[in-house]
Amino acid sequence: MPYKLIDAPLLTADQIRTRVYELAQAVESTTSEPLHLIAVLKGSIVFLADLIRAMRGPITLDFLAVSSYDANLSSGTVQLLKDIDTDIKDQSVVIIEDIVDTGLTLEYVQTLLRSKKPKTLQSVCLLSKPSRRQTKVAVDHVGFEIEDHFVVGYGLDYEQQYRHLPHISIVEVTSEQ
Ligand code: 5GP
């Protein structure tokens, strides 16, 4: 599919840095317990790396992988590609997600993790597109609310490209070749 990467960042590296620091403080201030962070691969890796370095700890990490997207279109069904490796029973768990769009992925992940009986379960998402929501999923901490754009950078991809960008930009799918 032909597409165009918009040069001007939607969110600059500075804006992201400041907000990620605030999110780290907000997450840690909600509990004095050790936190077990579970990042949803692959889009959240850059966010996770910056978030944990802004935290005091103690924290531990785990990862899970789901698939719901084909290029830039949501398939509407979520599949578990990799489950967590740790026992989260009675732990204070925080889901780290890159972006909440329809909300179906986060809802799936929350249901999966809740079934493993954590003590508490919070969700932190760098980005949210409220206008696209198809479910009333609860997100405890949101970095930025954005309009209905497909975005890349800071871990987010378009066909596996652009994850390395330090800022977040919009990709426009065009009809021209
Ligand atoms: P949802 O299930 O909320 O519709 O979608 C969540 C997942 O879709 C995210 O974890 C992310 O992988 C992908 N996604 C949704 N919107 C975007 C976007 O604008 N850019 C990118 N790169 N991925 C997105």
Side-chain angles (χ1 to χ4, degrees):
M1 187 86 78
Y3 69 94
K4 191 170 108 189
L5 177 68
I6 307 291
D7 284 338
L10 177 68
L11 296 165
T12 66
D14 274 349
Q15 283 175 298
I16 298 169
R17 190 175 308 113
T18 303
R19 189 69 187 119
V20 169
Y21 181 81
E22 289 169 358
L23 286 174
Q25 313 308 304
V27 174
E28 287 203 308
S29 68
T30 57
T31 176
S32 56
E33 306 271 335
L35 294 175
H36 190 59
L37 273 46
I38 299 181
V40 182
L41 295 171
K42 304 173 187 166
S44 66
I45 52 159
V46 180
F47 177 38
L48 175 76
D50 284 347
L51 192 74
I52 58 176
R53 285 177 295 171
M55 288 179 151
R56 283 186 313 274
I59 56 163
T60 49
L61 296 180
D62 203 344
F63 299 88
L64 61 74
V66 290
S67 98
S68 57
Y69 265 67
D70 175 11
N72 67 340
L73 289 177
S74 175
S75 66
T77 52
V78 184
Q79 275 183 303
L80 184 66
L81 301 178
K82 183 213 168 293
D83 203 346
I84 54 173
D85 301 323
T86 42
D87 179 8
I88 61 169
K89 189 166 185 300
D90 297 329
Q91 293 215 53
S92 299
V93 170
V94 185
I95 299 167
I96 310 297
E97 175 65 305
D98 51 2
I99 184 163
V100 197
D101 184 20
T102 63
L104 296 172
T105 303
L106 184 61
E107 185 173 63
Y108 175 91
V109 171
Q110 287 180 348
T111 304
L112 174 77
L113 296 182
R114 246 184 235 118
S115 73
K116 298 175 190 281
K117 309 276 183 242
K119 185 174 175 186
T120 58
L121 184 65
Q122 293 187 64
S123 303
V124 185
C125 299
L126 180 67
L127 304 172
S128 172
K129 294 188 231 177
S131 67
R132 294 258 312 154
R133 210 67 99 242
Q134 289 178 20
T135 176
K136 279 192 183 158
V137 69
V139 190
D140 302 280
H141 306 277
V142 171
F144 302 92
E145 290 198 344
I146 62 169
E147 303 288 318
D148 181 11
H149 299 297
F150 194 81
V151 292
V152 295
Y154 199 71
L156 288 155
D157 75 307
Y158 180 75
E159 295 183 340
Q160 301 302 325
Q161 298 296 315
Y162 305 118
R163 294 191 196 275
H164 66 291
L165 296 178
H167 54 267
I168 288 172
S169 282
I170 297 171
V171 162
E172 276 179 357
V173 177
T174 62
S175 49
E176 301 147 24
Q177 286 289 1

